[in-house]
PDB file of all heavy atoms in Angstrom:
ATOM      1  N   ILE A   1       7.806  -6.271 -12.837  1.00 85.00           N
ATOM      2  CA  ILE A   1       6.659  -5.461 -12.439  1.00 85.00           C
ATOM      3  C   ILE A   1       7.136  -4.033 -12.248  1.00 85.00           C
ATOM      4  O   ILE A   1       8.261  -3.763 -11.927  1.00 85.00           O
ATOM      5  CB  ILE A   1       6.106  -6.020 -11.067  1.00 85.00           C
ATOM      6  CG1 ILE A   1       4.777  -5.297 -10.734  1.00 85.00           C
ATOM      7  CG2 ILE A   1       7.136  -5.913  -9.966  1.00 85.00           C
ATOM      8  CD1 ILE A   1       4.118  -5.918  -9.492  1.00 85.00           C
ATOM      9  N   SER A   2       6.274  -3.102 -12.601  1.00 82.00           N
ATOM     10  CA  SER A   2       6.604  -1.702 -12.413  1.00 82.00           C
ATOM     11  C   SER A   2       6.721  -1.401 -10.949  1.00 82.00           C
ATOM     12  O   SER A   2       6.033  -1.972 -10.122  1.00 82.00           O
ATOM     13  CB  SER A   2       5.612  -0.777 -13.071  1.00 82.00           C
ATOM     14  OG  SER A   2       4.424  -0.684 -12.304  1.00 82.00           O
ATOM     15  N   GLY A   3       7.630  -0.510 -10.563  1.00 82.00           N
ATOM     16  CA  GLY A   3       7.804  -0.144  -9.172  1.00 82.00           C
ATOM     17  C   GLY A   3       6.529   0.449  -8.582  1.00 82.00           C
ATOM     18  O   GLY A   3       6.197   0.186  -7.473  1.00 82.00           O
ATOM     19  N   ASN A   4       5.813   1.192  -9.403  1.00 85.00           N
ATOM     20  CA  ASN A   4       4.582   1.805  -8.942  1.00 85.00           C
ATOM     21  C   ASN A   4       3.506   0.738  -8.598  1.00 85.00           C
ATOM     22  O   ASN A   4       2.817   0.869  -7.613  1.00 85.00           O
ATOM     23  CB  ASN A   4       4.027   2.775 -10.028  1.00 85.00           C
ATOM     24  CG  ASN A   4       2.896   3.548  -9.495  1.00 85.00           C
ATOM     25  OD1 ASN A   4       2.947   4.231  -8.474  1.00 85.00           O
ATOM     26  ND2 ASN A   4       1.789   3.550 -10.284  1.00 85.00           N
ATOM     27  N   GLU A   5       3.417  -0.277  -9.439  1.00 91.00           N
ATOM     28  CA  GLU A   5       2.412  -1.337  -9.194  1.00 91.00           C
ATOM     29  C   GLU A   5       2.857  -2.134  -7.960  1.00 91.00           C
ATOM     30  O   GLU A   5       1.951  -2.477  -7.176  1.00 91.00           O
ATOM     31  CB  GLU A   5       2.315  -2.245 -10.377  1.00 91.00           C
ATOM     32  CG  GLU A   5       1.214  -3.335 -10.232  1.00 91.00           C
ATOM     33  CD  GLU A   5       1.134  -4.286 -11.439  1.00 91.00           C
ATOM     34  OE1 GLU A   5       1.870  -4.044 -12.451  1.00 91.00           O
ATOM     35  OE2 GLU A   5       0.348  -5.179 -11.400  1.00 91.00           O
ATOM     36  N   LEU A   6       4.074  -2.416  -7.803  1.00 92.00           N
ATOM     37  CA  LEU A   6       4.553  -3.193  -6.630  1.00 92.00           C
ATOM     38  C   LEU A   6       4.231  -2.429  -5.374  1.00 92.00           C
ATOM     39  O   LEU A   6       3.728  -2.958  -4.376  1.00 92.00           O
ATOM     40  CB  LEU A   6       6.057  -3.447  -6.737  1.00 92.00           C
ATOM     41  CG  LEU A   6       6.680  -4.248  -5.599  1.00 92.00           C
ATOM     42  CD1 LEU A   6       6.120  -5.688  -5.609  1.00 92.00           C
ATOM     43  CD2 LEU A   6       8.222  -4.319  -5.772  1.00 92.00           C
ATOM     44  N   ALA A   7       4.480  -1.108  -5.371  1.00 91.00           N
ATOM     45  CA  ALA A   7       4.169  -0.307  -4.195  1.00 91.00           C
ATOM     46  C   ALA A   7       2.693  -0.229  -3.961  1.00 91.00           C
ATOM     47  O   ALA A   7       2.269  -0.273  -2.790  1.00 91.00           O
ATOM     48  CB  ALA A   7       4.759   1.103  -4.396  1.00 91.00           C
ATOM     49  N   GLY A   8       1.916  -0.104  -5.027  1.00 93.00           N
ATOM     50  CA  GLY A   8       0.442  -0.018  -4.848  1.00 93.00           C
ATOM     51  C   GLY A   8      -0.094  -1.277  -4.203  1.00 93.00           C
ATOM     52  O   GLY A   8      -0.969  -1.218  -3.376  1.00 93.00           O
ATOM     53  N   ARG A   9       0.404  -2.440  -4.632  1.00 95.00           N
ATOM     54  CA  ARG A   9      -0.066  -3.714  -4.060  1.00 95.00           C
ATOM     55  C   ARG A   9       0.315  -3.790  -2.585  1.00 95.00           C
ATOM     56  O   ARG A   9      -0.450  -4.247  -1.734  1.00 95.00           O
ATOM     57  CB  ARG A   9       0.560  -4.897  -4.831  1.00 95.00           C
ATOM     58  CG  ARG A   9       0.068  -5.040  -6.226  1.00 95.00           C
ATOM     59  CD  ARG A   9       0.711  -6.286  -6.839  1.00 95.00           C
ATOM     60  NE  ARG A   9       0.200  -6.515  -8.209  1.00 95.00           N
ATOM     61  CZ  ARG A   9       0.549  -7.562  -8.990  1.00 95.00           C
ATOM     62  NH1 ARG A   9       1.371  -8.520  -8.439  1.00 95.00           N
ATOM     63  NH2 ARG A   9       0.127  -7.684 -10.168  1.00 95.00           N
ATOM     64  N   ALA A  10       1.544  -3.364  -2.295  1.00 95.00           N
ATOM     65  CA  ALA A  10       2.043  -3.425  -0.900  1.00 95.00           C
ATOM     66  C   ALA A  10       1.183  -2.497  -0.047  1.00 95.00           C
ATOM     67  O   ALA A  10       0.841  -2.858   1.131  1.00 95.00           O
ATOM     68  CB  ALA A  10       3.456  -3.099  -0.853  1.00 95.00           C
ATOM     69  N   TYR A  11       0.862  -1.366  -0.526  1.00 94.00           N
ATOM     70  CA  TYR A  11       0.065  -0.381   0.248  1.00 94.00           C
ATOM     71  C   TYR A  11      -1.326  -0.946   0.486  1.00 94.00           C
ATOM     72  O   TYR A  11      -1.865  -0.831   1.603  1.00 94.00           O
ATOM     73  CB  TYR A  11       0.014   0.980  -0.508  1.00 94.00           C
ATOM     74  CG  TYR A  11      -0.890   1.971   0.182  1.00 94.00           C
ATOM     75  CD1 TYR A  11      -0.773   2.267   1.524  1.00 94.00           C
ATOM     76  CD2 TYR A  11      -1.886   2.693  -0.571  1.00 94.00           C
ATOM     77  CE1 TYR A  11      -1.563   3.219   2.130  1.00 94.00           C
ATOM     78  CE2 TYR A  11      -2.608   3.615   0.029  1.00 94.00           C
ATOM     79  CZ  TYR A  11      -2.536   3.883   1.373  1.00 94.00           C
ATOM     80  OH  TYR A  11      -3.337   4.846   1.994  1.00 94.00           O
ATOM     81  N   THR A  12      -1.971  -1.531  -0.481  1.00 96.00           N
ATOM     82  CA  THR A  12      -3.268  -2.121  -0.328  1.00 96.00           C
ATOM     83  C   THR A  12      -3.177  -3.246   0.753  1.00 96.00           C
ATOM     84  O   THR A  12      -4.110  -3.406   1.559  1.00 96.00           O
ATOM     85  CB  THR A  12      -3.753  -2.734  -1.676  1.00 96.00           C
ATOM     86  OG1 THR A  12      -3.874  -1.675  -2.617  1.00 96.00           O
ATOM     87  CG2 THR A  12      -5.099  -3.409  -1.509  1.00 96.00           C
ATOM     88  N   GLN A  13      -2.090  -4.008   0.717  1.00 96.00           N
ATOM     89  CA  GLN A  13      -1.952  -5.121   1.677  1.00 96.00           C
ATOM     90  C   GLN A  13      -1.793  -4.528   3.111  1.00 96.00           C
ATOM     91  O   GLN A  13      -2.365  -5.109   4.045  1.00 96.00           O
ATOM     92  CB  GLN A  13      -0.709  -5.880   1.297  1.00 96.00           C
ATOM     93  CG  GLN A  13      -0.607  -7.298   1.923  1.00 96.00           C
ATOM     94  CD  GLN A  13       0.547  -8.068   1.326  1.00 96.00           C
ATOM     95  OE1 GLN A  13       1.424  -7.540   0.658  1.00 96.00           O
ATOM     96  NE2 GLN A  13       0.577  -9.358   1.567  1.00 96.00           N
ATOM     97  N   ALA A  14      -1.042  -3.466   3.239  1.00 96.00           N
ATOM     98  CA  ALA A  14      -0.850  -2.858   4.537  1.00 96.00           C
ATOM     99  C   ALA A  14      -2.231  -2.328   5.085  1.00 96.00           C
ATOM    100  O   ALA A  14      -2.549  -2.507   6.288  1.00 96.00           O
ATOM    101  CB  ALA A  14       0.156  -1.747   4.520  1.00 96.00           C
ATOM    102  N   GLN A  15      -3.015  -1.717   4.217  1.00 96.00           N
ATOM    103  CA  GLN A  15      -4.332  -1.227   4.628  1.00 96.00           C
ATOM    104  C   GLN A  15      -5.254  -2.392   5.026  1.00 96.00           C
ATOM    105  O   GLN A  15      -6.038  -2.243   5.950  1.00 96.00           O
ATOM    106  CB  GLN A  15      -4.974  -0.443   3.435  1.00 96.00           C
ATOM    107  CG  GLN A  15      -4.434   0.940   3.221  1.00 96.00           C
ATOM    108  CD  GLN A  15      -5.206   1.600   2.136  1.00 96.00           C
ATOM    109  OE1 GLN A  15      -5.404   1.121   1.018  1.00 96.00           O
ATOM    110  NE2 GLN A  15      -5.685   2.820   2.463  1.00 96.00           N
ATOM    111  N   LYS A  16      -5.132  -3.454   4.320  1.00 96.00           N
ATOM    112  CA  LYS A  16      -5.950  -4.671   4.633  1.00 96.00           C
ATOM    113  C   LYS A  16      -5.755  -5.107   6.042  1.00 96.00           C
ATOM    114  O   LYS A  16      -6.682  -5.498   6.775  1.00 96.00           O
ATOM    115  CB  LYS A  16      -5.562  -5.806   3.674  1.00 96.00           C
ATOM    116  CG  LYS A  16      -6.050  -7.179   4.072  1.00 96.00           C
ATOM    117  CD  LYS A  16      -5.430  -8.231   3.146  1.00 96.00           C
ATOM    118  CE  LYS A  16      -5.758  -9.659   3.702  1.00 96.00           C
ATOM    119  NZ  LYS A  16      -5.095 -10.678   2.891  1.00 96.00           N
ATOM    120  N   PHE A  17      -4.542  -4.976   6.586  1.00 97.00           N
ATOM    121  CA  PHE A  17      -4.204  -5.430   7.938  1.00 97.00           C
ATOM    122  C   PHE A  17      -4.428  -4.308   8.997  1.00 97.00           C
ATOM    123  O   PHE A  17      -4.105  -4.450  10.133  1.00 97.00           O
ATOM    124  CB  PHE A  17      -2.789  -5.961   8.051  1.00 97.00           C
ATOM    125  CG  PHE A  17      -2.627  -7.294   7.347  1.00 97.00           C
ATOM    126  CD1 PHE A  17      -1.738  -7.426   6.256  1.00 97.00           C
ATOM    127  CD2 PHE A  17      -3.319  -8.394   7.737  1.00 97.00           C
ATOM    128  CE1 PHE A  17      -1.578  -8.589   5.623  1.00 97.00           C
ATOM    129  CE2 PHE A  17      -3.196  -9.635   7.117  1.00 97.00           C
ATOM    130  CZ  PHE A  17      -2.263  -9.724   6.010  1.00 97.00           C
ATOM    131  N   GLY A  18      -4.865  -3.133   8.503  1.00 96.00           N
ATOM    132  CA  GLY A  18      -5.234  -2.080   9.513  1.00 96.00           C
ATOM    133  C   GLY A  18      -4.227  -0.950   9.638  1.00 96.00           C
ATOM    134  O   GLY A  18      -4.479  -0.043  10.448  1.00 96.00           O
ATOM    135  N   ALA A  19      -3.114  -0.958   8.857  1.00 96.00           N
ATOM    136  CA  ALA A  19      -2.135   0.126   8.975  1.00 96.00           C
ATOM    137  C   ALA A  19      -2.812   1.363   8.300  1.00 96.00           C
ATOM    138  O   ALA A  19      -3.515   1.258   7.310  1.00 96.00           O
ATOM    139  CB  ALA A  19      -0.841  -0.227   8.212  1.00 96.00           C
ATOM    140  N   GLN A  20      -2.480   2.520   8.884  1.00 95.00           N
ATOM    141  CA  GLN A  20      -2.953   3.774   8.330  1.00 95.00           C
ATOM    142  C   GLN A  20      -1.815   4.533   7.746  1.00 95.00           C
ATOM    143  O   GLN A  20      -0.695   4.460   8.238  1.00 95.00           O
ATOM    144  CB  GLN A  20      -3.620   4.639   9.412  1.00 95.00           C
ATOM    145  CG  GLN A  20      -4.910   4.086   9.956  1.00 95.00           C
ATOM    146  CD  GLN A  20      -5.505   4.930  11.028  1.00 95.00           C
ATOM    147  OE1 GLN A  20      -4.876   5.205  12.049  1.00 95.00           O
ATOM    148  NE2 GLN A  20      -6.716   5.415  10.831  1.00 95.00           N
ATOM    149  N   MET A  21      -2.063   5.293   6.668  1.00 93.00           N
ATOM    150  CA  MET A  21      -0.985   6.105   6.073  1.00 93.00           C
ATOM    151  C   MET A  21      -1.416   7.575   6.039  1.00 93.00           C
ATOM    152  O   MET A  21      -2.621   7.836   5.746  1.00 93.00           O
ATOM    153  CB  MET A  21      -0.581   5.632   4.684  1.00 93.00           C
ATOM    154  CG  MET A  21       0.640   6.377   4.159  1.00 93.00           C
ATOM    155  SD  MET A  21       1.344   5.738   2.617  1.00 93.00           S
ATOM    156  CE  MET A  21       0.326   6.638   1.436  1.00 93.00           C
ATOM    157  N   LEU A  22      -0.511   8.474   6.267  1.00 90.00           N
ATOM    158  CA  LEU A  22      -0.768   9.895   6.271  1.00 90.00           C
ATOM    159  C   LEU A  22       0.269  10.559   5.385  1.00 90.00           C
ATOM    160  O   LEU A  22       1.439  10.374   5.614  1.00 90.00           O
ATOM    161  CB  LEU A  22      -0.721  10.452   7.637  1.00 90.00           C
ATOM    162  CG  LEU A  22      -1.034  12.001   7.761  1.00 90.00           C
ATOM    163  CD1 LEU A  22      -2.431  12.310   7.369  1.00 90.00           C
ATOM    164  CD2 LEU A  22      -0.803  12.410   9.216  1.00 90.00           C
ATOM    165  N   LEU A  23      -0.170  11.297   4.334  1.00 86.00           N
ATOM    166  CA  LEU A  23       0.727  12.071   3.520  1.00 86.00           C
ATOM    167  C   LEU A  23       0.879  13.418   4.106  1.00 86.00           C
ATOM    168  O   LEU A  23      -0.169  14.153   4.286  1.00 86.00           O
ATOM    169  CB  LEU A  23       0.156  12.138   2.057  1.00 86.00           C
ATOM    170  CG  LEU A  23       0.204  10.875   1.262  1.00 86.00           C
ATOM    171  CD1 LEU A  23      -0.455  11.066  -0.088  1.00 86.00           C
ATOM    172  CD2 LEU A  23       1.612  10.367   1.061  1.00 86.00           C
ATOM    173  N   THR A  24       2.059  13.863   4.406  1.00 78.00           N
ATOM    174  CA  THR A  24       2.306  15.152   5.024  1.00 78.00           C
ATOM    175  C   THR A  24       3.747  15.554   4.839  1.00 78.00           C
ATOM    176  O   THR A  24       4.582  14.732   4.407  1.00 78.00           O
ATOM    177  CB  THR A  24       1.924  15.127   6.532  1.00 78.00           C
ATOM    178  OG1 THR A  24       2.092  16.426   7.037  1.00 78.00           O
ATOM    179  CG2 THR A  24       2.838  14.174   7.288  1.00 78.00           C
TER     180      THR A  24
END
């Protein structure tokens, strides 16, 4: 799997459980 796709899936999963992300 591409690293970008793996990260994208993990980020979606984290959002699903309520984690927030901030780019700064």
Side-chain angles (χ1 to χ4, degrees):
I1 187 173
S2 74
N4 188 53
E5 184 180 358
L6 183 63
R9 290 183 181 185
Y11 176 49
T12 300
Q13 196 172 16
Q15 285 185 307
K16 166 188 169 184
F17 289 118
Q20 293 179 301
M21 188 172 86
L22 180 64
L23 290 175
T24 183

